[in-house]
């Protein structure tokens, strides 16, 4: 489990452990400093996770370069074999035919290596993107939940203060009568 997932679990446990607001079964009281500390650490960790997956993605270039170098080496070997076999007309024709076969075989092998490396790198890249998206979605959902809770608390407190104000106003009016 990554540190980001641990932080998300800690935030969820913290929210689950919060006390309910007085006279409410849906609103909770949140210690702003504690939740902010968890969110700050989460923000600091997300770029590290993204860098980790970017490194994996960047390795695809190394894989492709290695495949290209192997292909170029095979082609160079084939050309060297062509040079060695060319001694006279008859041998030369056989050498060209053999060299063309070797070059074609090397080209096919290089194409297979490059295709496999590209597919593997693309799969790693897609996996990294999907994982990062899931993490960001989870964080976004937690933020939305915290925002909704804060708005509900504000609404509840505003209504309470309005009721107190109205009661005071009514009492003052009744004193005047």
């Amino acid at each position: 489990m990554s540190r980001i997932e641990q932080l998300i679990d800690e935030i969820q446990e913290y929210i689950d452990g919060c006390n309910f607001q007085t006279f409410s079964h849906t609103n909770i009281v949140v210690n702003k400093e504690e939740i902010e500390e968890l969110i700050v650490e989460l923000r600091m960790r997300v770029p590290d996770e993204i860098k980790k997956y970017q490194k994996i993605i960047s390795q695809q270039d190394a894989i492709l370069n290695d495949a290209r170098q192997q292909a170029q080496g095979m082609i160079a070997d084939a050309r060297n074999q062509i040079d060695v076999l060319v001694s006279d007309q008859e041998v030369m024709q056989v050498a060209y035919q053999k060299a063309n076969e070797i070059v074609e075989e090397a080209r096919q092998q290089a194409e297979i290596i490059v295709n496999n490396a590209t597919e593997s790198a693309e799969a790693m890249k897609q996996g990294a993107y999907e994982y990062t998206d899931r993490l960001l979605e989870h964080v976004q959902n937690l933020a939305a939940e915290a925002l909704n809770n804060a708005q509900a608390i504000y609404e509840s407190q505003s209504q309470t203060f309005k009721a107190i104000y109205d009661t005071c106003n009514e009492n003052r009016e009744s004193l005047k009568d």
Side-chain angles (χ1 to χ4, degrees):
M1 177 182 289
S2 75
R3 181 61 184 144
I4 290 177
E5 291 169 320
Q6 289 173 348
L7 284 169
I8 291 170
D9 288 345
E10 286 178 31
I11 291 171
Q12 186 63 53
E13 288 174 14
Y14 176 77
I15 290 171
D16 292 342
C18 288
N19 293 327
F20 286 101
Q21 184 181 7
T22 308
F23 304 113
S24 174
H25 295 287
T26 57
N27 298 331
I28 59 173
V29 177
V30 176
N31 181 320
K32 184 178 179 183
E33 288 180 13
E34 287 182 41
I35 197 74
E36 283 180 343
E37 285 177 17
L38 291 171
I39 290 172
V40 165
E41 186 176 352
L42 183 63
R43 283 186 179 143
M44 289 173 34
R45 294 291 181 160
V46 168
D48 291 338
E49 290 287 331
I50 291 172
K51 285 178 189 174
K52 184 171 122 182
Y53 293 110
Q54 285 174 337
K55 183 178 178 184
I56 291 169
I57 292 167
S58 70
Q59 289 176 350
Q60 80 180 15
D61 291 335
I63 293 169
L64 291 173
N65 287 336
D66 185 49
R68 285 187 187 107
Q69 287 176 353
Q70 286 181 8
Q72 288 173 351
M74 292 172 147
I75 291 170
D77 288 344
R79 287 186 178 144
N80 288 338
Q81 288 181 8
I82 289 171
D83 293 338
V84 170
L85 294 175
V86 177
S87 62
D88 66 346
Q89 190 69 8
E90 191 173 6
V91 173
M92 197 163 124
Q93 289 176 350
V94 171
Y96 277 125
Q97 182 181 0
K98 181 70 175 165
N100 286 334
E101 290 172 5
I102 291 171
V103 168
E104 180 59 26
E105 183 179 321
R107 187 196 61 74
Q108 289 173 355
Q109 288 178 356
E111 187 176 314
I112 289 169
I113 290 169
V114 169
N115 287 341
N116 288 342
T118 302
E119 289 173 8
S120 177
E122 191 60 36
M124 284 190 278
K125 180 173 135 182
Q126 186 62 33
Y129 285 152
E130 290 172 3
Y131 177 74
T132 302
D133 184 55
R134 284 194 307 272
L135 287 176
L136 291 174
E137 179 185 25
H138 190 65
V139 170
Q140 185 180 21
N141 289 341
L142 286 174
E145 184 178 325
L147 178 62
N148 288 338
N149 286 340
Q151 287 174 338
I153 290 168
Y154 175 77
E155 284 292 322
S156 174
Q157 288 177 345
S158 178
Q159 289 173 0
T160 301
F161 287 133
K162 174 73 170 122
I164 291 169
Y165 175 82
D166 290 345
T167 302
C168 288
N169 196 33
E170 289 172 10
N171 289 339
R172 288 185 68 211
E173 288 298 321
S174 67
L175 288 174
K176 291 178 184 178
D177 290 339

